[in-house]
Structures are given as C-alpha cells and as structure tokens.
Amino acid sequence: MSGLGYTVPAALSVIAVCALELGVLRTGLFRKPAYWISMAIVLGFQIPVDGWLTKLSAPIVIYDEQHTSGIRFPFDIPVEDFLFGWAMVTAVLLLWERQRPRAPKEDAS
C-alpha cells in the first residue's frame, strides 16, 4: 500500500483547506460552534452512507487497496473518505462565509 493515489491527495486536501482559511480567507469559521455542529451532522449522514457503499462484504464502491492507507473505520470506510469529505464540505462553507455580506463597522467618533 503506497497511499499515493488516494491517501496523499486526501491529506493534501485537508492541508490546503486549512491553509486557505488560516492564511487567506480568515473567516473565523473554525471558531464557530455552528460549524462543528454542521460537521457532526455531515458525519452522522456520511457514516451510514459510506459504510453501506464501501462495506467489504458487498461493496458498491471498490478502492484499489494499493492506493489507500488500508485504514478502514467504522464499517469498513476508508479513512481517506473522511479527509476528502471534510475538505470538500469545509471549503464550500469557507467560500460561503467569505461571500456573505459583512455588517458595517460602526464609527467610533
């Protein structure tokens, strides 16, 4: 298992999204409880769906194990699915936050 086909891009996607937020967009999304609640909701749906799609007993989606880390948890879900899923959902939320109209700053004078 080299992980080059799926693990490395999954990890890089997480790093890229974090760098986008912390270095460019600076929306403060990671500090908002609503973001973490949203991620828990996403995870609550992702686990049963991914578990059903990737279960080793009768998979619908088959991964070439040479290109993954081989770590599957829970329900035989490749850990890379969670990395890509987090990066995709977080990137969309970051861009959404960035385009939202900002409240005007009040003048201190």
Side-chain angles (χ1 to χ4, degrees):
M1 291 179 258
S2 72
L4 293 176
Y6 201 55
T7 307
V8 171
L12 289 176
S13 71
V14 169
I15 292 167
V17 168
C18 288
L20 180 67
E21 167 58 2
L22 301 174
V24 179
L25 299 177
R26 298 178 182 210
T27 66
L29 186 67
F30 295 155
R31 293 188 304 270
K32 296 179 180 179
Y35 165 72
W36 295 105
I37 292 168
S38 298
M39 293 310 293
I41 293 168
V42 168
L43 198 60
F45 284 97
Q46 183 179 5
I47 288 173
V49 171
D50 258 3
W52 178 67
L53 290 172
T54 62
K55 64 185 177 240
L56 292 175
S57 61
I60 295 170
V61 177
I62 300 171
Y63 294 94
D64 184 343
E65 292 299 322
Q66 291 181 329
H67 297 290
T68 67
S69 66
I71 300 169
R72 289 176 167 260
F73 177 82
F75 306 118
D76 299 326
I77 302 168
V79 70
E80 293 86 355
D81 278 6
F82 293 108
L83 298 176
F84 272 130
W86 181 87
M88 178 181 63
V89 172
T90 300
V92 168
L93 292 174
L94 287 172
L95 294 174
W96 182 270
E97 280 293 307
R98 181 63 173 185
Q99 64 83 33
R100 285 177 46 168
R102 303 280 185 250
K105 292 182 180 181
E106 293 185 25
D107 191 11
S109 48

